[in-house]
Amino acid sequence: MKREFEPWIKDLEPDWQSVFDVCSRCPVVASARGFRLPAQSTIVEVLNGIVGMLFPGCLGRDAQRTFAGDHDGLLDASETAQALYSCIVPVAKYYCELDKCEFCGDCEKFARKVVEDFFSAGASIREALQLDVQAAYEGDPAATSQLEVVMSYPGLYAITVHRIAHQLVKSKVPLIPRVMSEHAHSKTGIDIHPGAQIGSGFFIDHGTGVVIGETCVIGQNVKIYQGVTLGALSFAKDEDGNLVKGVKRHPNVEDGVIIYAGATILGGDTVIGHNSVIGGNVWLIHSVPPYSKVYNAQPAPVVRTKEGS
Amino acid sequence: MKREFEPWIKDLEPDWQSVFDVCSRCPVVASARGFRLPAQSTIVEVLNGIVGMLFPGCLGRDAQRTFAGDHDGLLDASETAQALYSCIVPVAKYYCELDKCEFCGDCEKFARKVVEDFFSAGASIREALQLDVQAAYEGDPAATSQLEVVMSYPGLYAITVHRIAHQLVKSKVPLIPRVMSEHAHSKTGIDIHPGAQIGSGFFIDHGTGVVIGETCVIGQNVKIYQGVTLGALSFAKDEDGNLVKGVKRHPNVEDGVIIYAGATILGGDTVIGHNSVIGGNVWLIHSVPPYSKVYNAQPAPVVRTKEGS
Amino acid sequence: MKREFEPWIKDLEPDWQSVFDVCSRCPVVASARGFRLPAQSTIVEVLNGIVGMLFPGCLGRDAQRTFAGDHDGLLDASETAQALYSCIVPVAKYYCELDKCEFCGDCEKFARKVVEDFFSAGASIREALQLDVQAAYEGDPAATSQLEVVMSYPGLYAITVHRIAHQLVKSKVPLIPRVMSEHAHSKTGIDIHPGAQIGSGFFIDHGTGVVIGETCVIGQNVKIYQGVTLGALSFAKDEDGNLVKGVKRHPNVEDGVIIYAGATILGGDTVIGHNSVIGGNVWLIHSVPPYSKVYNAQPAPVVRTKEGS
């Protein structure tokens, strides 16, 4: 942006100062001072580096370069590891010092452990993703190749980011997993909380409007369509009327379940038994046994016909 | 893109010329000639500058730089003011000269007034946003800190952009507010027309698929879930059969209302009384008094069980 | 990203190698070796070049430059043609050699033919888009100008990208059309398979959550709202239990139909007769004749009122 200003712009200073005064009273902004926290865009860059490591030449950072095969994959991976470490350290310090967290103490050591565990888990994450790719290819009549699935399917991108973010949740990294999962939400319309546990061979088709809550546990080879909600039925409150955080409040979905578009399944005690099929737009707030077929007696719409012209 | 072309590409010129001829007959493109209108990307850059002024170091342009505290906030704000002014002037001229608008006349003076009024309103916009952040933190069991809300919640981003765009609507700026709100729609799946009036402490959870129409009036401390529509029931037409623009056609929602996922509330005469709760998937086209609980007698889905293997 | 690494990062090499070994067994990644396939971002850049050719100065690459009128439109078009050609050649080779495709043989010749046909079709694509712009302007009471429609309406962007991608489908280009349509899906929440056939004067309002399947055939002057699905009722399987690809499985929608928000219309034999109106949230799996009005007997929601404080 240019630095030559209309002369009257300097007169805006008192108004800007008023905005800044409000900002200063905001606990978030005030506490951010002195911390060189990673910006959203920095975290997304790290995410893209990891995605590129998992699908070299197909997705993520420098896909064209890695496609050509004339890159140094190990160097790319080392850069990504370093960048992930550099994001985690200041975030850990922020949460340590300001939220009085006492679990980590040595934030550099914590961050190193997270990165090491992440790389240890890398191969099994990639194995799961391979099954996800196959599930999409086999489950969608419109899919013409596995390359098409990897390079264009939003459901595959969403589960890729989820598997990355969920590994960081397991390592108790604050903030960063949620920024990653909301980036995937922004790109795909699929909102998976990074805390959700999801088995391999998972396929979300179309995907816009899908919501999968924090405490969901989903088995293997589950298939979900657009607009499906796996959500909370109600929120527990403590004696002061504040919401209780961290309790189980979202359903479990066992192996081999298919959930059609627009279905809503709610509640932490709700279990969808394995190999069940849940029909479009169904509203379900109780468990069903394995091999259930659940569907709405769809209201036959009224059709009024007036032949014309 | 490279400038060395396959030799046959020059033979495409007549076809390109045909496309261009169609473009020239388009009123939008034809009328754009001679105007250096701001591109979408320029308007988004201005928007990010304003967001960065409201949440320094957390969101928007140069978040990492402003996080570090070694920036000049006043200089950033001045650049943003100048850039906003530079966007408004040509848009005002375009609308003045081509749509025969007669209300502004002196477009530079108009643009200066808009920027001054925007900065005057800045502190109260920021105050409202602070209440929005608190509402999200207190209303979502999955929220672990206010920083997480600011840096990753799509509902917070959507209301931030809305409060900016709505201030510009109040100043009668054409085009720019809608480009801003559609940018937020693109990033979040939340479609709030910039003309809607929304009180503070507003929280949209998940958010994908939410639609809030132009003439909605929403009170304070309202909470909305994904897929909620506050829309029009029908459109008035004039005697020539054209839609009448600008009439009240979307509902009012009073203070403290909660609207669960997928509910549809329609009509300009519809008022949801304060402290009401509207259940998931409800279809509502009439007013309800304060403290109402509105829910569907959800159709119990049919469950067929076939125990197997 | 920086190249100075923490000393322990080199110890991650065996883990990275394990990830890479899994990647090497992936048919997609392994087969990508030796091919300089275009990255997603490269395909999106080509798309933006084409969009800019269709709406010079309003949308796409270099909108601000083209707005000013001091650009060389022919040079821009030639660059776009070259870039499109350069994307198609390696993709055609990949599909030829790895999927044993035998239809093209000379991939350079194939790619040239695609580009030539694309430019031939350019003027008629632009004519259709002009009718789309008018349909949006006339169909939405909130639209204040055609410029606003072009510069901010997600439905217009989605149909623009669709008309481009569908022309490439007609030329039998693999992969690239789907990457383009999923880019539009990502930006707008509107998921139109590039294979769908859609007449001119098409308007999608709000649009988030719309799904239009591969084998849909849609007439002229059709209007669709957010959350509408034109989908498959079931998938045919072959004797081995694999899905049959390529069969007609999505509905036809004739001229002048309006489909309100959240309606679901399924099945390859379903035909919505011309000038019909389909109400919000309707679930429809059979044909209706022309001029039908189809609506749900909406369940009157239960309203419990408890006047208080």
Side-chain angles (χ1 to χ4, degrees):
Chain A
M1 294 185 189
K2 71 174 181 173
R3 302 232 161 183
E4 287 173 30
F5 303 141
E6 306 295 319
W8 50 268
I9 280 186
K10 66 177 185 303
D11 301 334
L12 302 173
E13 182 172 351
D15 285 330
W16 169 77
Q17 194 62 51
S18 298
V19 174
F20 192 73
D21 287 349
V22 183
C23 291
S24 301
R25 293 197 302 274
C26 165
V28 176
V29 174
S31 60
R33 279 207 189 79
F35 292 93
R36 196 177 276 271
L37 286 173
Q40 268 187 335
S41 57
T42 305
I43 295 171
V44 169
E45 196 184 352
V46 171
L47 175 63
N48 283 334
I50 298 171
V51 171
M53 199 172 83
L54 295 171
F55 291 104
C58 295
L59 278 182
R61 196 166 62 92
D62 290 332
Q64 198 157 25
R65 191 167 66 94
T66 56
F67 252 139
D70 54 1
H71 72 295
D72 184 338
L74 180 58
L75 179 62
D76 284 355
S78 300
E79 285 175 345
T80 297
Q82 178 67 41
L84 177 58
Y85 173 80
S86 301
C87 276
I88 295 170
V89 170
V91 170
K93 289 189 173 177
Y94 175 91
Y95 275 82
C96 255
E97 295 184 35
L98 288 155
D99 284 3
K100 314 279 180 244
C101 150
E102 297 173 47
F103 76 89
C104 77
D106 182 340
C107 295
E108 284 82 2
K109 191 174 164 188
F110 169 73
R112 175 178 168 173
K113 182 76 166 57
V114 171
V115 174
E116 287 172 345
D117 289 350
F118 187 84
F119 269 68
S120 281
S124 67
I125 290 174
R126 186 58 179 78
E127 300 273 13
L129 288 171
Q130 191 55 35
L131 297 173
D132 299 332
V133 172
Q134 286 173 19
Y137 177 67
E138 289 163 11
D140 178 12
T144 60
S145 71
Q146 291 197 21
L147 180 66
E148 189 180 62
V149 170
V150 171
M151 284 190 63
S152 73
Y153 273 48
L156 195 271
Y157 185 78
I159 189 63
T160 299
V161 173
H162 175 73
R163 297 202 186 287
I164 294 165
H166 183 66
Q167 171 59 32
L168 297 177
V169 165
K170 288 203 280 187
S171 291
K172 300 190 189 305
V173 178
L175 188 65
I176 292 170
R178 186 68 185 263
V179 173
M180 288 178 169
S181 65
E182 286 296 342
H183 177 70
H185 182 194
S186 174
K187 282 187 74 78
T188 66
I190 298 167
D191 181 356
I192 310 177
H193 192 286
Q197 299 170 46
I198 303 180
S200 60
F202 185 63
F203 176 39
I204 299 175
D205 202 2
H206 307 300
T208 305
V210 165
V211 175
I212 298 177
E214 182 181 17
T215 64
C216 282
V217 180
I218 296 178
Q220 297 192 314
N221 300 312
V222 169
K223 186 173 174 179
I224 286 181
Y225 286 83
Q226 69 271 19
V228 164
T229 294
L230 304 177
L233 186 55
S234 62
F235 299 152
K237 291 187 182 181
D238 65 17
E239 53 227 8
D240 299 328
N242 297 319
L243 295 184
V244 180
K245 308 215 170 195
V247 297
K248 169 80 175 160
R249 57 193 187 284
H250 306 101
N252 286 10
V253 176
E254 295 182 350
D255 295 353
V257 168
I258 300 175
I259 309 175
Y260 284 104
T264 301
I265 302 174
L266 304 178
D269 296 328
T270 302
V271 179
I272 307 302
H274 62 84
N275 298 96
S276 292
V277 177
I278 311 298
N281 293 346
V282 159
W283 174 276
L284 188 60
I285 57 176
H286 58 75
S287 297
V288 296
Y291 294 98
S292 296
K293 311 267 181 214
V294 182
Y295 53 95
N296 277 355
Q298 293 288 354
V302 181
V303 181
R304 280 194 297 134
T305 306
K306 179 185 66 179
E307 292 295 331
S309 62
Chain B
M1 296 186 188
K2 71 173 180 173
R3 303 234 162 180
E4 287 172 31
F5 304 140
E6 305 296 319
W8 49 268
I9 280 186
K10 66 177 184 303
D11 302 332
L12 301 173
E13 181 172 351
D15 285 330
W16 170 76
Q17 194 63 49
S18 297
V19 174
F20 192 73
D21 288 347
V22 183
C23 291
S24 300
R25 293 198 302 274
C26 165
V28 175
V29 175
S31 60
R33 282 208 184 79
F35 292 93
R36 197 177 277 271
L37 286 172
Q40 268 188 334
S41 57
T42 305
I43 295 171
V44 169
E45 195 185 351
V46 171
L47 175 64
N48 283 334
I50 298 171
V51 170
M53 200 172 85
L54 296 170
F55 290 104
C58 295
L59 278 183
R61 197 165 63 91
D62 289 332
Q64 197 156 26
R65 189 166 68 94
T66 56
F67 251 140
D70 54 2
H71 71 295
D72 183 339
L74 178 59
L75 180 61
D76 285 354
S78 299
E79 285 175 345
T80 296
Q82 177 68 41
L84 177 59
Y85 173 80
S86 301
C87 277
I88 295 170
V89 170
V91 170
K93 287 188 175 178
Y94 175 91
Y95 275 81
C96 254
E97 295 184 33
L98 288 155
D99 284 3
K100 315 282 179 238
C101 150
E102 297 174 46
F103 76 88
C104 77
D106 181 342
C107 295
E108 284 82 4
K109 191 173 165 188
F110 170 73
R112 173 177 169 173
K113 182 75 164 55
V114 171
V115 175
E116 287 173 345
D117 289 350
F118 187 85
F119 269 68
S120 281
S124 68
I125 290 174
R126 187 59 180 78
E127 299 273 12
L129 288 172
Q130 191 56 36
L131 297 173
D132 299 331
V133 172
Q134 286 174 20
Y137 177 68
E138 289 163 9
D140 178 13
T144 61
S145 70
Q146 291 198 21
L147 181 67
E148 189 179 61
V149 170
V150 171
M151 283 190 63
S152 73
Y153 273 47
L156 195 273
Y157 185 78
I159 189 64
T160 299
V161 173
H162 175 73
R163 296 201 187 287
I164 294 165
H166 183 65
Q167 170 60 32
L168 296 177
V169 164
K170 288 204 280 187
S171 291
K172 300 190 190 305
V173 178
L175 187 65
I176 292 169
R178 186 66 185 265
V179 172
M180 289 178 168
S181 66
E182 286 296 341
H183 177 71
H185 182 194
S186 174
K187 283 187 74 78
T188 66
I190 298 167
D191 181 356
I192 310 178
H193 192 285
Q197 299 171 45
I198 303 180
S200 61
F202 185 63
F203 175 39
I204 299 176
D205 202 1
H206 307 299
T208 307
V210 165
V211 174
I212 299 177
E214 182 180 17
T215 64
C216 283
V217 180
I218 297 177
Q220 297 192 316
N221 301 311
V222 168
K223 185 173 175 179
I224 285 181
Y225 285 84
Q226 69 271 19
V228 165
T229 295
L230 304 177
L233 187 54
S234 63
F235 298 152
K237 292 188 181 179
D238 64 18
E239 54 226 12
D240 298 328
N242 296 317
L243 296 183
V244 181
K245 308 215 168 196
V247 296
K248 169 79 173 160
R249 58 194 186 284
H250 305 101
N252 285 9
V253 176
E254 294 182 349
D255 295 353
V257 167
I258 300 176
I259 308 176
Y260 284 104
T264 301
I265 303 175
L266 304 179
D269 295 328
T270 302
V271 179
I272 308 302
H274 62 83
N275 297 96
S276 292
V277 177
I278 311 297
N281 293 346
V282 160
W283 174 276
L284 189 60
I285 57 175
H286 58 76
S287 297
V288 296
Y291 294 97
S292 297
K293 310 266 183 217
V294 182
Y295 53 94
N296 277 355
Q298 293 288 352
V302 180
V303 181
R304 280 193 299 135
T305 306
K306 179 185 67 179
E307 292 295 330
S309 62
Chain C
M1 296 187 186
K2 71 173 178 174
R3 304 233 160 180
E4 288 173 30
F5 303 140
E6 306 295 319
W8 50 268
I9 280 185
K10 67 177 182 302
D11 302 334
L12 302 173
E13 181 172 352
D15 285 330
W16 169 77
Q17 194 63 50
S18 298
V19 174
F20 192 74
D21 289 346
V22 184
C23 291
S24 301
R25 294 198 301 273
C26 166
V28 175
V29 174
S31 61
R33 276 198 198 85
F35 292 93
R36 195 176 278 271
L37 286 172
Q40 269 188 334
S41 57
T42 306
I43 295 171
V44 169
E45 195 184 352
V46 171
L47 175 64
N48 284 334
I50 298 172
V51 171
M53 200 173 84
L54 295 171
F55 291 104
C58 295
L59 279 183
R61 196 165 65 92
D62 289 332
Q64 198 157 26
R65 189 167 68 95
T66 56
F67 251 140
D70 54 3
H71 71 296
D72 183 338
L74 179 59
L75 179 62
D76 284 355
S78 300
E79 285 176 344
T80 297
Q82 177 68 43
L84 177 59
Y85 173 79
S86 301
C87 277
I88 294 170
V89 171
V91 170
K93 288 188 175 178
Y94 175 90
Y95 275 81
C96 254
E97 295 184 34
L98 288 156
D99 284 4
K100 314 281 181 241
C101 150
E102 297 173 48
F103 76 88
C104 77
D106 181 343
C107 295
E108 284 81 4
K109 191 174 163 187
F110 169 74
R112 174 179 169 173
K113 181 74 165 57
V114 171
V115 175
E116 288 173 344
D117 289 351
F118 187 84
F119 270 68
S120 281
S124 67
I125 290 174
R126 186 59 179 78
E127 299 273 13
L129 288 171
Q130 191 56 34
L131 296 173
D132 298 331
V133 172
Q134 287 173 19
Y137 177 66
E138 288 162 12
D140 178 12
T144 61
S145 70
Q146 291 199 20
L147 180 66
E148 189 180 60
V149 170
V150 171
M151 283 190 63
S152 73
Y153 273 47
L156 195 272
Y157 185 78
I159 190 65
T160 299
V161 173
H162 175 73
R163 297 202 187 285
I164 294 165
H166 183 66
Q167 170 60 31
L168 297 176
V169 165
K170 288 203 280 187
S171 292
K172 301 191 189 304
V173 178
L175 188 65
I176 292 170
R178 187 66 184 265
V179 172
M180 289 178 169
S181 65
E182 286 296 341
H183 177 70
H185 182 193
S186 174
K187 282 187 73 80
T188 66
I190 298 167
D191 181 356
I192 309 178
H193 193 286
Q197 299 171 45
I198 303 180
S200 60
F202 185 64
F203 175 39
I204 299 175
D205 202 2
H206 307 300
T208 306
V210 165
V211 174
I212 298 177
E214 182 181 18
T215 63
C216 283
V217 180
I218 297 177
Q220 298 193 313
N221 300 312
V222 168
K223 185 174 176 179
I224 285 180
Y225 285 83
Q226 69 271 20
V228 165
T229 294
L230 304 178
L233 186 54
S234 63
F235 298 152
K237 291 187 181 177
D238 64 19
E239 54 227 12
D240 298 328
N242 296 317
L243 296 184
V244 181
K245 309 216 168 195
V247 296
K248 169 79 174 161
R249 56 194 188 283
H250 306 100
N252 286 9
V253 176
E254 295 182 349
D255 295 352
V257 167
I258 300 176
I259 308 175
Y260 284 104
T264 301
I265 302 175
L266 304 179
D269 296 328
T270 302
V271 178
I272 307 301
H274 62 83
N275 297 96
S276 292
V277 177
I278 312 297
N281 293 345
V282 160
W283 174 277
L284 188 60
I285 57 174
H286 58 75
S287 297
V288 295
Y291 294 99
S292 297
K293 311 265 181 216
V294 181
Y295 53 93
N296 277 354
Q298 293 288 352
V302 181
V303 181
R304 281 194 298 135
T305 306
K306 179 185 68 180
E307 292 293 332
S309 62

